């Protein structure tokens, strides 16, 4: 959404690459209407405008490398550009841990739907386990369970109304 930033960041490569120059020209053409629409700023990360000119992270697709792996890109960008705001990992983990505390205030627990770790691609495994570890380490989640569709199918609600996996 910051066309001036993009122009500056891509100026050198656009001078040497026709495709890059064309992409930059297209962005300039649609930039005027961009404020009316949701925006995909980085892979699988959708932000929407909020009151006061701020942005709200609305979608973070963990399986596609969001938010754990995207945090690495955000960290690099933050080091290289002062105007880059914090990445989505803390926001996503805050939301998940807050929801877990609403259900179990004394022992927040999160269940992550995932294939077995040995069947996951390394990138996906790092993301799923990375989010789980951050929830436990930095956000006060007592337990993170990694469950399969079979685990969910076998789950039952006990007499106290608790979901048992």
């Amino acid at each position: 959404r910051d066309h001036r930033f993009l122009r500056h960041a891509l100026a050198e490569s656009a001078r040497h690459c026709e495709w890059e120059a064309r992409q930059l020209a297209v962005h300039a053409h649609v930039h005027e209407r961009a404020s009316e629409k949701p925006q995909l700023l980085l892979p699988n990360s959708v932000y929407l405008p909020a009151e006061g000119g701020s942005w709200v992270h609305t979608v973070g697709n963990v399986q596609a490398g969001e938010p754990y792996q995207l945090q690495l890109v955000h960290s690099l960008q933050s080091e290289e550009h002062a105007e880059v705001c914090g990445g989505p990992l803390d926001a996503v983990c805050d939301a998940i841990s807050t929801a877990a505390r609403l259900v179990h205030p004394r022992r927040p627990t999160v269940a992550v739907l995932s294939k077995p770790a040995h069947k996951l691609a390394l990138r996906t495994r790092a993301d799923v386990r990375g989010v789980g570890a951050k929830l436990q380490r930095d956000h006060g989640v007592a337990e993170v369970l990694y469950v399969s569709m079979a685990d969910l199918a076998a789950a039952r609600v006990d007499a106290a109304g608790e979901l048992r996996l």
Side-chain angles (χ1 to χ4, degrees):
R1 210 163 287 260
D2 187 345
H3 185 66
R4 188 180 67 223
F5 171 79
L6 284 175
R7 251 191 355 251
H8 173 74
L10 301 176
E12 183 64 26
S13 60
R15 278 194 284 278
H16 302 289
C17 175
E18 185 178 327
W19 183 87
E20 190 90 17
R22 191 171 55 238
Q23 292 297 314
L24 199 52
V26 168
H27 185 271
H29 180 72
V30 299
H31 177 68
E32 190 173 306
R33 299 270 327 262
S35 64
E36 303 169 16
K37 301 176 182 179
Q39 178 139 7
L40 182 66
L41 292 179
L42 291 167
N44 301 301
S45 184
V46 177
Y47 293 79
L48 296 175
E51 289 182 36
S54 63
W55 292 85
V56 177
H57 180 253
T58 59
V59 176
N61 182 347
V62 173
Q63 184 175 0
E66 237 308 274
Y68 184 75
Q69 299 229 7
L70 185 54
Q71 186 66 38
L72 300 173
V73 175
H74 244 81
S75 296
L76 173 62
Q77 290 176 338
S78 294
E79 292 299 322
E80 294 177 349
H81 306 283
E83 65 274 15
V84 174
C85 297
L89 183 58
D90 279 322
V92 169
C93 288
D94 280 342
I96 292 170
S97 62
T98 298
R101 274 191 283 290
L102 290 173
V103 177
H104 290 287
R106 290 185 301 278
R107 187 167 170 75
T109 302
V110 170
V112 177
L113 178 61
S114 174
K115 294 178 195 174
H118 70 280
K119 292 186 176 182
L120 293 174
L122 178 60
R123 170 186 160 165
T124 304
R125 189 169 75 232
D127 191 60
V128 168
R129 298 299 172 149
V131 170
K134 180 138 181 93
L135 285 166
Q136 288 183 294
R137 183 182 62 246
D138 299 338
H139 294 269
V141 172
E143 186 172 11
V144 175
L145 305 170
Y146 300 93
V147 299
S148 67
M149 291 300 289
D151 295 328
L152 289 180
R156 299 289 175 253
V157 177
D158 68 14
E162 298 288 335
L163 180 64
R164 299 294 174 184
L165 297 171

